[in-house]
Amino acid sequence: MSETRKPRETMTGRGHPLPFWLVGSAVVLVALNLRPGASSVGPVLAELQAGLGLDATAAGVLTALPGLAFAAVGALAVALSRKTGINGSIALALAAAAAGLLVRSFVDSAALFLVLTVLAFAGMAVGNILVPAFIKRHGGRHLPVLNSVYGTTLALGATLPLLFGGLLAGTGPEGWRLSLGLWGAVALAAFIFWAVLALRTGRDPVAAAGGTRTRTRMRSSRTAVALSLFFGVQSMHAYVQFGWAAQIYRDAGLEQATAGVMAAIIAGLGIPGGLIMPVLVARSPRLRTYIVGLGTCMAAGYSGLLLAADTLPWLWAVFLGVGGFAFPTALALITARSREPRVTAQLSGFIQPVGYLLAAMGPFAIGTLHDVSGSWTLPLALLIASAVVMVGAGIRAAAPRFVDDELEAAKRPVTAS
């Protein structure tokens, strides 16, 4: 029996089904707040460095913080949900994100700014892990639609700060604080909604199953390992682009607002990607061909930045944006390659910390390489090469297999013939 026929997956912790409009609204509000904390920094990075006295290496650490926090805290998200439930955990996550983003926009200390940024990213990390399990539990026959809503809204949340960050920063000497703090207010509104939802539904126990050996068991699934590598490399590209794309364009001669628009194009193309790729993951037999195409677009975009960033800046942004369709593809594969919500939560808890640990290395390495070499040539060459790795892992992860089956096969004793 498929997961869409199991009524328990559309029930709350109190046994009552949630209406689709409520599930969809909840997904939109949390997804909108899982990326602005990272993407809002890029367009105002120069102003932030000047205002807080950050050098290039410290700025590289700042761009690496999303991946580091998502890896470290994300590994604890499933355990947290065993105590407070999925809905309660997501509400707490939004509270942490709102507090970190709001308060950091007022401080003058670089160290305190980084601490509050870690708090915000810790909240986002919990949301990253648990939202796929929430969708799996309540999606039912609407699962592809909710995956599309989730991926699209994530892209929207990443795009809006890039689009308006430079404009808000230009409102005055302290405009960069307004540009950053706005997203804390948005997260606060989402927290209020999710707090009410958690009180209404009670403890949601989907992720409560499992054990201390979950990570070890997941390593026995080739699909899970491949998906974690695919997710990690594409996340590395995403956070490099959040942190450095606007600066690459500015160093090539584009004005701040124009560079911000180019970065917004890259992130904004994730919106149609979020609509398209979950449907293709669910229905298309040519998914692996599409993954090759996404890697090709990504390599072409970086090549354009390397050779002629200021000549056709919009074209390179479009190539990179289409290559970024890999992100909603990876998210959709988490639910598509698992049957049970419990396994979905465990798979998400395995893939995302491992993936984001890899992603954390990217922005820091790019910043350090640029600082050492004095140009973007070596960093961009490294990004082109890594697109090939992403394609190889994606082809393996896209194979029509279920992680549940691979885990069961790994538990069976081997008998002598």
Short mmCIF file of all heavy atoms in Angstrom, two decimals, residues 123-160:
data_model
loop_
_atom_site.label_atom_id
_atom_site.label_comp_id
_atom_site.label_asym_id
_atom_site.label_seq_id
_atom_site.Cartn_x
_atom_site.Cartn_y
_atom_site.Cartn_z
N GLY A 123 18.10 27.69 14.50
CA GLY A 123 16.66 27.54 14.29
C GLY A 123 16.33 27.09 12.89
O GLY A 123 15.50 26.21 12.67
N MET A 124 16.98 27.68 11.91
CA MET A 124 16.74 27.29 10.52
C MET A 124 17.14 25.84 10.28
O MET A 124 16.51 25.13 9.48
CB MET A 124 17.51 28.21 9.58
CG MET A 124 17.07 29.66 9.63
SD MET A 124 18.16 30.73 8.64
CE MET A 124 17.91 32.29 9.48
N ALA A 125 18.20 25.38 10.95
CA ALA A 125 18.66 24.00 10.79
C ALA A 125 17.59 23.02 11.21
O ALA A 125 17.34 22.01 10.53
CB ALA A 125 19.93 23.77 11.61
N VAL A 126 16.92 23.28 12.33
CA VAL A 126 15.85 22.40 12.79
C VAL A 126 14.71 22.38 11.77
O VAL A 126 14.15 21.31 11.45
CB VAL A 126 15.35 22.85 14.17
CG1 VAL A 126 14.13 22.05 14.60
CG2 VAL A 126 16.46 22.71 15.20
N GLY A 127 14.36 23.54 11.24
CA GLY A 127 13.31 23.58 10.22
C GLY A 127 13.69 22.81 8.97
O GLY A 127 12.88 22.08 8.40
N ASN A 128 14.95 22.94 8.53
CA ASN A 128 15.40 22.22 7.34
C ASN A 128 15.17 20.71 7.48
O ASN A 128 14.76 20.05 6.53
CB ASN A 128 16.90 22.46 7.12
CG ASN A 128 17.20 23.82 6.55
OD1 ASN A 128 16.39 24.41 5.85
ND2 ASN A 128 18.37 24.34 6.87
N ILE A 129 15.45 20.17 8.67
CA ILE A 129 15.36 18.73 8.87
C ILE A 129 13.91 18.27 8.98
O ILE A 129 13.53 17.24 8.41
CB ILE A 129 16.13 18.32 10.15
CG1 ILE A 129 17.62 18.68 10.02
CG2 ILE A 129 15.96 16.83 10.42
CD1 ILE A 129 18.33 18.01 8.89
N LEU A 130 13.08 19.01 9.70
CA LEU A 130 11.77 18.51 10.08
C LEU A 130 10.65 18.86 9.12
O LEU A 130 9.62 18.18 9.12
CB LEU A 130 11.42 19.01 11.49
CG LEU A 130 12.34 18.52 12.61
CD1 LEU A 130 11.88 19.04 13.95
CD2 LEU A 130 12.41 16.99 12.62
N VAL A 131 10.81 19.88 8.31
CA VAL A 131 9.72 20.22 7.38
C VAL A 131 9.44 19.09 6.38
O VAL A 131 8.28 18.78 6.10
CB VAL A 131 10.00 21.55 6.66
CG1 VAL A 131 8.98 21.79 5.54
CG2 VAL A 131 9.94 22.71 7.65
N PRO A 132 10.47 18.42 5.80
CA PRO A 132 10.14 17.28 4.92
C PRO A 132 9.32 16.20 5.62
O PRO A 132 8.44 15.59 5.01
CB PRO A 132 11.52 16.76 4.50
CG PRO A 132 12.40 17.96 4.56
CD PRO A 132 11.92 18.72 5.76
N ALA A 133 9.61 15.93 6.90
CA ALA A 133 8.81 14.93 7.63
C ALA A 133 7.39 15.43 7.86
O ALA A 133 6.43 14.66 7.79
CB ALA A 133 9.48 14.61 8.96
N PHE A 134 7.23 16.73 8.14
CA PHE A 134 5.89 17.31 8.28
C PHE A 134 5.11 17.15 6.97
O PHE A 134 3.93 16.77 6.97
CB PHE A 134 6.03 18.79 8.65
CG PHE A 134 4.73 19.54 8.74
CD1 PHE A 134 3.97 19.50 9.91
CD2 PHE A 134 4.25 20.28 7.67
CE1 PHE A 134 2.77 20.19 10.00
CE2 PHE A 134 3.06 20.97 7.74
CZ PHE A 134 2.31 20.92 8.92
N ILE A 135 5.78 17.41 5.86
CA ILE A 135 5.13 17.28 4.55
C ILE A 135 4.77 15.82 4.28
O ILE A 135 3.68 15.51 3.79
CB ILE A 135 6.05 17.83 3.44
CG1 ILE A 135 6.17 19.35 3.57
CG2 ILE A 135 5.52 17.45 2.05
CD1 ILE A 135 7.18 19.96 2.62
N LYS A 136 5.69 14.91 4.59
CA LYS A 136 5.42 13.49 4.35
C LYS A 136 4.22 13.02 5.16
O LYS A 136 3.39 12.25 4.68
CB LYS A 136 6.66 12.66 4.71
CG LYS A 136 6.57 11.20 4.30
CD LYS A 136 6.65 11.03 2.80
CE LYS A 136 6.73 9.57 2.39
NZ LYS A 136 6.87 9.42 0.94
N ARG A 137 4.13 13.48 6.40
CA ARG A 137 3.04 13.05 7.27
C ARG A 137 1.70 13.59 6.81
O ARG A 137 0.70 12.88 6.81
CB ARG A 137 3.32 13.49 8.71
CG ARG A 137 2.17 13.19 9.68
CD ARG A 137 2.60 13.40 11.11
NE ARG A 137 1.49 13.28 12.05
CZ ARG A 137 1.01 12.13 12.51
NH1 ARG A 137 1.54 11.00 12.10
NH2 ARG A 137 0.00 12.12 13.37
N HIS A 138 1.64 14.85 6.42
CA HIS A 138 0.37 15.50 6.13
C HIS A 138 0.10 15.67 4.63
O HIS A 138 -0.96 16.19 4.27
CB HIS A 138 0.33 16.89 6.80
CG HIS A 138 0.45 16.83 8.29
ND1 HIS A 138 -0.57 16.39 9.10
CD2 HIS A 138 1.48 17.14 9.12
CE1 HIS A 138 -0.18 16.45 10.37
NE2 HIS A 138 1.07 16.89 10.40
N GLY A 139 1.04 15.24 3.77
CA GLY A 139 0.88 15.49 2.34
C GLY A 139 -0.19 14.64 1.69
O GLY A 139 -1.01 15.14 0.94
N GLY A 140 -0.20 13.32 1.99
CA GLY A 140 -1.15 12.43 1.34
C GLY A 140 -1.07 12.53 -0.16
O GLY A 140 0.01 12.55 -0.75
N ARG A 141 -2.21 12.67 -0.79
CA ARG A 141 -2.24 12.77 -2.26
C ARG A 141 -1.72 14.12 -2.76
O ARG A 141 -1.49 14.31 -3.96
CB ARG A 141 -3.66 12.54 -2.78
CG ARG A 141 -4.68 13.56 -2.30
CD ARG A 141 -6.09 13.14 -2.69
NE ARG A 141 -7.10 14.07 -2.19
CZ ARG A 141 -7.52 15.14 -2.85
NH1 ARG A 141 -6.99 15.43 -4.02
NH2 ARG A 141 -8.43 15.93 -2.33
N HIS A 142 -1.55 15.07 -1.84
CA HIS A 142 -1.03 16.38 -2.22
C HIS A 142 0.48 16.47 -2.06
O HIS A 142 1.04 17.58 -2.12
CB HIS A 142 -1.67 17.48 -1.35
CG HIS A 142 -3.16 17.56 -1.48
ND1 HIS A 142 -3.79 17.93 -2.65
CD2 HIS A 142 -4.15 17.32 -0.57
CE1 HIS A 142 -5.11 17.93 -2.46
NE2 HIS A 142 -5.34 17.56 -1.22
N LEU A 143 1.16 15.35 -1.87
CA LEU A 143 2.59 15.37 -1.59
C LEU A 143 3.40 16.11 -2.66
O LEU A 143 4.21 16.99 -2.32
CB LEU A 143 3.11 13.94 -1.41
CG LEU A 143 4.56 13.79 -0.97
CD1 LEU A 143 4.77 14.39 0.41
CD2 LEU A 143 4.96 12.32 -0.96
N PRO A 144 3.23 15.83 -3.97
CA PRO A 144 4.00 16.59 -4.98
C PRO A 144 3.72 18.09 -4.93
O PRO A 144 4.63 18.90 -5.11
CB PRO A 144 3.56 15.97 -6.31
CG PRO A 144 3.05 14.61 -5.95
CD PRO A 144 2.42 14.77 -4.60
N VAL A 145 2.45 18.45 -4.67
CA VAL A 145 2.10 19.86 -4.60
C VAL A 145 2.81 20.53 -3.43
O VAL A 145 3.38 21.63 -3.56
CB VAL A 145 0.57 20.04 -4.47
CG1 VAL A 145 0.21 21.51 -4.25
CG2 VAL A 145 -0.13 19.49 -5.70
N LEU A 146 2.80 19.88 -2.26
CA LEU A 146 3.45 20.46 -1.09
C LEU A 146 4.96 20.53 -1.27
O LEU A 146 5.61 21.49 -0.82
CB LEU A 146 3.10 19.66 0.16
CG LEU A 146 1.68 19.86 0.69
CD1 LEU A 146 1.40 18.90 1.84
CD2 LEU A 146 1.46 21.29 1.13
N ASN A 147 5.55 19.53 -1.93
CA ASN A 147 6.97 19.62 -2.24
C ASN A 147 7.27 20.80 -3.13
O ASN A 147 8.28 21.50 -2.96
CB ASN A 147 7.45 18.32 -2.91
CG ASN A 147 7.79 17.24 -1.91
OD1 ASN A 147 8.24 17.51 -0.80
ND2 ASN A 147 7.58 15.98 -2.28
N SER A 148 6.40 21.05 -4.11
CA SER A 148 6.58 22.21 -4.99
C SER A 148 6.42 23.51 -4.22
O SER A 148 7.19 24.46 -4.40
CB SER A 148 5.57 22.16 -6.14
OG SER A 148 5.83 21.09 -7.02
N VAL A 149 5.42 23.56 -3.35
CA VAL A 149 5.22 24.75 -2.53
C VAL A 149 6.44 25.01 -1.65
O VAL A 149 6.91 26.15 -1.52
CB VAL A 149 3.95 24.59 -1.65
CG1 VAL A 149 3.88 25.67 -0.58
CG2 VAL A 149 2.70 24.64 -2.52
N TYR A 150 6.95 23.95 -1.06
CA TYR A 150 8.11 24.08 -0.17
C TYR A 150 9.33 24.60 -0.94
O TYR A 150 9.96 25.59 -0.55
CB TYR A 150 8.40 22.73 0.47
CG TYR A 150 9.56 22.71 1.43
CD1 TYR A 150 9.73 23.72 2.37
CD2 TYR A 150 10.50 21.67 1.41
CE1 TYR A 150 10.80 23.70 3.27
CE2 TYR A 150 11.56 21.64 2.30
CZ TYR A 150 11.70 22.66 3.22
OH TYR A 150 12.75 22.63 4.11
N GLY A 151 9.67 23.94 -2.03
CA GLY A 151 10.84 24.34 -2.80
C GLY A 151 10.70 25.73 -3.37
O GLY A 151 11.66 26.52 -3.38
N THR A 152 9.50 26.08 -3.84
CA THR A 152 9.28 27.40 -4.42
C THR A 152 9.41 28.49 -3.36
O THR A 152 10.03 29.54 -3.59
CB THR A 152 7.89 27.46 -5.06
OG1 THR A 152 7.78 26.45 -6.08
CG2 THR A 152 7.64 28.82 -5.69
N THR A 153 8.83 28.25 -2.19
CA THR A 153 8.89 29.27 -1.15
C THR A 153 10.29 29.41 -0.58
O THR A 153 10.71 30.51 -0.21
CB THR A 153 7.89 28.95 -0.03
OG1 THR A 153 6.62 28.63 -0.60
CG2 THR A 153 7.71 30.14 0.89
N LEU A 154 11.05 28.31 -0.48
CA LEU A 154 12.45 28.42 -0.09
C LEU A 154 13.20 29.34 -1.05
O LEU A 154 13.98 30.20 -0.62
CB LEU A 154 13.11 27.04 -0.09
CG LEU A 154 12.88 26.13 1.12
CD1 LEU A 154 13.47 24.76 0.84
CD2 LEU A 154 13.50 26.73 2.37
N ALA A 155 12.96 29.16 -2.34
CA ALA A 155 13.63 30.01 -3.34
C ALA A 155 13.18 31.46 -3.21
O ALA A 155 13.99 32.38 -3.34
CB ALA A 155 13.33 29.48 -4.74
N LEU A 156 11.89 31.65 -2.94
CA LEU A 156 11.40 33.02 -2.76
C LEU A 156 12.05 33.67 -1.54
O LEU A 156 12.46 34.83 -1.59
CB LEU A 156 9.88 32.99 -2.59
CG LEU A 156 9.18 34.34 -2.45
CD1 LEU A 156 9.37 35.17 -3.72
CD2 LEU A 156 7.70 34.15 -2.15
N GLY A 157 12.18 32.90 -0.46
CA GLY A 157 12.82 33.42 0.74
C GLY A 157 14.28 33.75 0.52
O GLY A 157 14.82 34.65 1.17
N ALA A 158 14.94 33.03 -0.36
CA ALA A 158 16.34 33.33 -0.68
C ALA A 158 16.45 34.52 -1.62
O ALA A 158 17.44 35.28 -1.57
CB ALA A 158 17.00 32.11 -1.31
N THR A 159 15.45 34.73 -2.47
CA THR A 159 15.52 35.75 -3.51
C THR A 159 15.21 37.14 -2.99
O THR A 159 15.89 38.12 -3.35
CB THR A 159 14.53 35.40 -4.64
OG1 THR A 159 14.84 34.11 -5.15
CG2 THR A 159 14.60 36.42 -5.76
N LEU A 160 14.19 37.27 -2.17
CA LEU A 160 13.74 38.60 -1.75
C LEU A 160 14.85 39.42 -1.07
O LEU A 160 15.00 40.61 -1.37
CB LEU A 160 12.52 38.47 -0.85
CG LEU A 160 11.25 37.96 -1.54
CD1 LEU A 160 10.12 37.81 -0.53
CD2 LEU A 160 10.83 38.91 -2.67
#
